[in-house]
Amino acid sequence: MADYGALADFTIPPLDNHSRVPIEPGKCGAIQTKFSSDIVNQVTRQIHDAVQTQGCSVLCLQELFLTPYFCQSQNPAYFDALTMTAPSNDPAKNNAIVNHFLTVSKQYCISLVFSFYEKTTNGTLYNSVSLLEDGTVSPQIYRKTHIPDGPGYQEKFYFTPGDTGPVTFKTNKNLTIGVGICWDQWFPELARCMVLKGADVLFYPTAIGSEPVDGICADLEGSVKHWRRVMMGHAAANMVPILCCNRVGAEKLTDTSSTSRIEFYGQSFTCDNTGEIVQTLNNTDNGLVTLSVDPSSIKQQRMAWGMFRDRRPECYSSIRTKDGTSIVPGA
């Protein structure tokens, strides 16, 4: 894992107020980054550029961007891989990195969708996000609902399935956002629930790439297209814009007994509320995708189509089952 040093090691580039693009309340962005030992400063520079040149007011950072993707293997040493309690508005309770990004949000007057490896007081571990904005922390947390378990993506060893259910965050610029984390993006139920709870836009911070073994999921080109289309479907079915940021670059993890390597395929993108791709990135470089969101226009279009008006939730009881017939106890 990287050695992040002390807070004094992190820098916040100043904005040039003479040349900067004015912040647009509905301008959203998602940052694609290759992990490096200087990841805190790297991401900070990307945030700076997104505000300076694009006027972004809400920016999404990648899933678990602060560390290499350690879930390639099962190693108890990674239970402490930069785990932290939920970010707090009390600087004394935060580590240096949280306080740094809180300061970034304050100096740039923006909202950050911030991914972190959460450890609760009783030692339960979650893959979580919260919203940092203007130097404060949202009282809400979203904990990743769907946890994958397969070669190279052994997250069930590290994370407990989330207990928050779908969560929406209200930014101080009057934008309501929903966040799903990586594997969550394959499940239409979560996307639908976030929009029902008022989300104007959905963000998906992600870490996905090649499979370390051959098999049915090993077709990288096919995986990228499938991965993208499922989110385009969420956008079209719910008439909601989506921004997805994915990790990029090769990461090799060597433990005492094994070596694993994943080529994260980037391809971060945005799509509008009809599912149409607006921007996309490549599979090699750091970058930014953006989208301007107009909540009133989106809601008007959704009402005109009657998509939510004509829903029949009383007819969907099978969605509460695992096999279409048997209700899960407590569901």
Side-chain angles (χ1 to χ4, degrees), residues 8 20 55 73 145 155 160 184 198 204 225 253 282 303 308 326:
R20 64 177 290 187
S73 71
T145 302
E155 294 191 16
T160 297
D184 285 337
Y204 288 104
K225 292 178 179 178
L253 187 68
N282 63 27
M303 286 189 290
F308 280 19
S326 303

Side-chain angles (χ1 to χ4, degrees), residues 29-273:
I31 289 174
Q32 175 171 298
T33 308
K34 181 184 297 185
F35 181 78
S36 73
S37 59
D38 193 32
I39 190 65
V40 175
N41 284 321
Q42 169 62 42
V43 170
T44 303
R45 288 191 292 269
Q46 290 181 265
I47 294 170
H48 167 273
D49 292 347
V51 178
Q52 178 75 39
T53 66
Q54 300 294 322
C56 291
S57 64
V58 185
L59 288 166
C60 184
L61 308 180
Q62 290 166 187
E63 179 188 27
L64 301 174
F65 73 98
L66 292 168
T67 67
Y69 185 71
F70 52 84
C71 305
Q72 293 186 52
S73 71
Q74 296 185 14
N75 186 337
Y78 298 140
F79 287 148
D80 295 317
L82 204 68
T83 53
M84 59 184 74
T85 57
S88 167
N89 284 315
D90 180 357
K93 293 183 179 180
N94 294 329
N95 67 26
I97 296 172
V98 171
N99 286 329
H100 169 78
F101 282 105
L102 275 170
T103 302
V104 169
S105 73
K106 183 176 182 178
Q107 289 194 14
Y108 294 165
C109 298
I110 57 170
S111 304
L112 294 175
V113 178
F114 184 79
S115 170
F116 63 101
Y117 186 6
E118 181 189 2
K119 179 184 285 185
T120 66
T121 53
N122 69 357
T124 305
L125 301 171
Y126 295 103
N127 187 338
S128 302
V129 297
S130 191
L131 191 70
L132 315 183
E133 56 179 9
D134 291 355
T136 63
V137 181
S138 169
Q140 294 178 289
I141 292 174
Y142 171 67
R143 292 169 172 163
K144 186 173 180 177
T145 302
H146 307 94
I147 307 295
D149 185 28
Y153 302 91
Q154 301 178 60
E155 294 191 16
K156 276 193 168 72
F157 185 74
Y158 298 100
F159 307 124
T160 297
D163 57 1
T164 61
V167 171
T168 56
F169 300 86
K170 188 82 167 182
T171 75
N172 55 18
K173 295 180 175 63
N174 207 34
L175 194 68
T176 301
I177 68 173
V179 184
I181 304 173
C182 202
W183 191 223
D184 285 337
Q185 64 205 5
W186 297 88
F187 295 86
E189 300 90 341
L190 187 71
R192 172 58 56 90
C193 288
M194 289 189 288
V195 181
L196 286 172
K197 290 170 71 71
D200 300 314
V201 58
L202 301 184
F203 289 94
Y204 288 104
T206 298
I208 187 171
S210 59
E211 299 292 335
V213 295
D214 291 335
I216 196 168
C217 301
D219 175 10
L220 188 60
E221 183 178 354
S223 172
V224 172
K225 292 178 179 178
H226 185 187
W227 168 80
R228 182 173 288 171
R229 281 195 298 265
V230 74
M231 287 179 278
M232 293 164 66
H234 300 335
N238 293 287
M239 296 202 71
V240 65
I242 285 176
L243 295 92
C244 175
C245 55
N246 188 29
R247 192 177 286 241
V248 70
E251 294 186 21
K252 183 178 180 180
L253 187 68
T254 301
D255 289 324
T256 54
S257 59
S258 64
T259 297
S260 178
R261 182 181 184 276
I262 293 178
E263 185 81 34
F264 293 99
Y265 51 62
Q267 306 281 351
S268 301
F269 72 98
T270 65
C271 60
D272 66 16
N273 62 316

Side-chain angles (χ1 to χ4, degrees), residues 268-301:
S268 301
F269 72 98
T270 65
C271 60
D272 66 16
N273 62 316
T274 70
E276 182 77 18
I277 294 288
V278 177
Q279 283 188 333
T280 186
L281 297 177
N282 63 27
N283 62 353
T284 57
D285 300 323
N286 294 342
L288 170 76
V289 288
T290 66
L291 193 68
S292 292
V293 177
D294 181 350
S296 61
S297 174
I298 291 167
K299 290 173 182 174
Q300 187 176 51
Q301 291 178 51

